[in-house]
Amino acid sequence: MFMNFFTELRQAKVPVTLKEYLMLMEALDRDVIDHSVNDFYYLSRATLVKDEKNLDKFDRVFGHVFKGLEKVELGLNADVPAEWLKAMSDRFLTDEEKQMIEEMGGFDKLMEMIAQRMKEQQEEGEDGDGDEEGKKGGRGKDGSSPFGANGFHPEGIRIGQDKGRHGKAIKVWDKREYKNLDDSVELGTRNIKIALRRLRKFARTGSADELDMDGSIKGTANKGYLDIVLRPERRNAIKVLLFFDIGGSMDGHIKLCEELFSAAKTEFKTMEFFYFHNCLYESVWKDNRRRNVEKIDTWDVLNKYGHDYKIIIVGDATMSPYEITYPGGSVEHWNEEAGAIWVDRLTNIYDSVVWLNPTGERHWDYTPSIGVLRQLVNDRMYPLTIEGLDKAMRELVR
């Protein structure tokens, strides 16, 4: 069984090694955990998963391999304080729902009924109406019984189905806590922060306000009296320049761009940002509400920020190819120089440039303008997913 677990993790592209597998086996031999599926889950996850982006894949494989090892009955005799149950009921349930629970006899009665029903109806469950007075009275579907998955009861148990409908089940064994961390899904703010942390270069600058423990110990030993040594705080010295495409086809990606912007402001101490529309031209802006009266010359931006800045362009690169390759191609104004010239200038001035595209990579080949811009940024365009952002950060730190 454990070997099958290891093999399926590899097949799911979770990078586990034989050394990690043997470490897990050694931990089991030494009885470092109790004989519990939950304990084994946390032990194996800590041993075999090295990157948070693989947690969802691990959960899916774990649920597939070990599903059914731990039955609901294991929790039937748990000592749940009555005060705790009452507090939870008062907090989450309506008066009508509380009355339903009282009619059932409370939590203890509920768990006893589950044990009896599970024993009596191993083969039934799809045809019952889920009510106490129903002909089968079982773990029916879409009823009001406390047993089953697609029905309603304020204090229920999920049995058999892969999801619930009301989210009030007390026991949900197949819950996946990390389903948004898969490296093939779009990002949330927390996941973006994790990916951006790969772009780090630490340096100690500024005032000395942090205790240097090693220096203090060494100084005290050498001088024979307490010598407190302070040092500047260790900060991320990476400088980032962000260009956001705004408006038009990017309106559908506003939420994702907001999350990226929020995460970047948290992760990078030195960061500047500007907006553009579709392609870089002779001007950019900082405030979209005043974009027509407070534009900034792109040349001024390129001359102001040094070559050590990392450039991140965010846009779907979806437009007419003429907007990139011809003077006057912009849909908003007459541009004296083609957008391709400005993108080329950017890549010639800065060594580290990446383009993040929120459009799914599988669609790129069907949009000619994406191919043009990929070529202009030397094929350093990446999808705005965890995996794509991870690759982009690796490119920027090369």
Side-chain angles (χ1 to χ4, degrees):
M1 178 182 295
F2 294 128
M3 196 64 210
N4 181 47
F5 180 41
F6 176 75
T7 303
E8 293 210 20
L9 285 173
R10 295 292 295 269
Q11 291 174 350
K13 301 189 183 302
V14 179
V16 294
T17 64
L18 183 59
K19 180 179 179 181
E20 292 160 348
Y21 174 74
L22 293 176
M23 186 184 303
L24 175 61
M25 294 299 100
E26 182 181 359
L28 294 176
D29 288 340
R30 297 189 179 186
D31 294 327
V32 298
I33 59 171
D34 294 330
H35 294 172
S36 160
V37 174
N38 284 341
D39 288 351
F40 175 69
Y41 165 76
Y42 288 113
L43 173 65
S44 58
R45 194 183 79 185
T47 307
L48 302 176
V49 182
K50 301 181 289 293
D51 195 320
E52 283 183 301
K53 70 182 182 182
N54 295 312
L55 285 172
D56 184 51
K57 295 176 183 176
F58 176 85
D59 284 355
R60 280 180 282 176
V61 173
F62 188 93
H64 170 67
V65 174
F66 298 105
K67 187 174 182 179
L69 288 186
E70 185 156 330
K71 302 298 184 181
V72 175
E73 287 90 329
L74 289 177
L76 297 182
N77 297 322
D79 184 13
V80 181
E83 295 81 3
W84 183 87
L85 285 175
K86 186 178 186 305
M88 294 298 290
S89 298
D90 292 341
R91 182 176 179 182
F92 293 112
L93 303 181
T94 65
D95 292 338
E96 182 180 351
E97 291 172 339
K98 294 175 189 176
Q99 181 63 32
M100 291 175 65
I101 295 173
E102 292 299 324
E103 292 175 359
M104 291 292 298
F107 183 82
D108 293 337
K109 181 64 176 178
L110 177 68
M111 301 307 271
E112 291 176 8
M113 292 175 64
I114 291 171
Q116 183 66 24
R117 294 289 178 87
M118 290 293 289
K119 184 182 299 184
E120 294 175 354
Q121 299 185 354
Q122 293 295 327
E123 301 298 329
E124 299 178 4
E126 287 298 325
D127 299 325
D129 65 359
D131 292 325
E132 187 67 25
E133 295 81 12
K135 293 182 180 179
K136 296 192 176 184
R139 48 189 182 99
K141 186 177 180 182
D142 299 328
S144 60
S145 167
F147 321 119
N150 292 323
F152 171 80
H153 193 280
E155 190 170 298
I157 301 295
R158 178 181 302 170
I159 300 172
Q161 284 75 22
D162 61 347
K163 61 181 180 180
R165 190 169 62 178
H166 299 288
K168 293 187 177 181
I170 296 173
K171 302 290 186 185
V172 184
W173 299 107
D174 56 352
K175 181 180 179 183
R176 282 159 50 202
E177 298 179 357
Y178 299 94
K179 59 184 178 181
N180 65 330
L181 291 178
D182 194 339
D183 61 6
S184 62
V185 300
E186 292 186 349
L187 302 173
T189 303
R190 176 180 178 274
N191 305 340
I192 293 174
K193 289 180 180 180
I194 293 171
L196 291 180
R197 285 170 189 166
R198 200 173 287 280
L199 184 58
R200 285 181 169 182
K201 181 181 178 182
F202 288 106
R204 297 191 181 278
T205 58
S207 59
D209 54 6
E210 180 183 270
L211 175 64
D212 183 353
M213 182 63 71
D214 292 338
S216 297
I217 293 174
K218 185 176 180 180
T220 300
N222 289 336
K223 297 178 181 179
Y225 57 85
L226 182 60
D227 182 26
I228 302 297
V229 179
L230 299 177
R231 63 185 178 185
E233 184 180 353
R234 187 169 175 259
R235 301 177 185 273
N236 188 3
I238 289 290
K239 302 176 182 177
V240 175
L241 197 56
L242 271 169
F243 291 93
F244 284 100
D245 182 5
I246 197 75
S249 58
M250 283 297 292
D251 285 347
H253 307 294
I254 288 177
K255 182 176 184 296
L256 185 58
C257 290
E258 287 177 341
E259 291 172 346
L260 175 63
F261 181 64
S262 175
K265 286 186 68 176
T266 302
E267 291 300 317
F268 304 120
K269 180 177 176 60
T270 305
M271 189 199 80
E272 293 291 340
F273 69 94
F274 298 93
Y275 296 110
F276 68 96
H277 181 57
N278 282 354
C279 187
L280 278 176
Y281 297 114
E282 68 277 2
S283 60
V284 291
W285 54 92
K286 297 277 287 186
D287 188 341
N288 285 295
R289 293 169 297 182
R290 302 184 61 81
R291 58 183 293 184
N292 295 318
V293 295
E294 293 184 358
K295 291 187 175 181
I296 304 169
D297 287 342
T298 306
W299 263 127
D300 290 344
V301 174
L302 301 184
N303 289 324
K304 179 178 180 179
Y305 300 100
H307 299 178
D308 56 340
Y309 271 78
K310 309 293 184 181
I311 310 300
I312 301 176
I313 307 172
V314 183
D316 61 3
T318 301
M319 66 199 85
S320 167
Y322 294 104
E323 295 183 57
I324 307 171
T325 57
Y326 280 79
S330 171
V331 296
E332 292 192 329
H333 71 290
W334 178 267
N335 52 299
E336 297 291 341
E337 295 180 299
I341 293 177
W342 286 102
V343 177
D344 186 60
R345 285 170 177 161
L346 186 73
T347 57
N348 286 331
I349 292 174
Y350 297 96
D351 295 328
S352 300
V353 178
V354 296
W355 189 300
L356 297 177
N357 194 330
T359 302
E361 192 171 7
R362 63 185 181 278
H363 302 301
W364 290 3
D365 292 337
Y366 303 102
T367 307
S369 59
I370 293 180
V372 174
L373 285 169
R374 285 182 70 182
Q375 185 177 359
L376 287 172
V377 296
N378 301 315
D379 206 32
R380 289 177 290 184
M381 181 179 288
Y382 302 92
L384 197 43
T385 61
I386 292 179
E387 183 180 17
L389 190 52
D390 183 71
K391 290 180 179 178
M393 296 305 103
R394 289 178 185 271
E395 173 63 33
L396 290 179
V397 297
R398 279 200 313 141

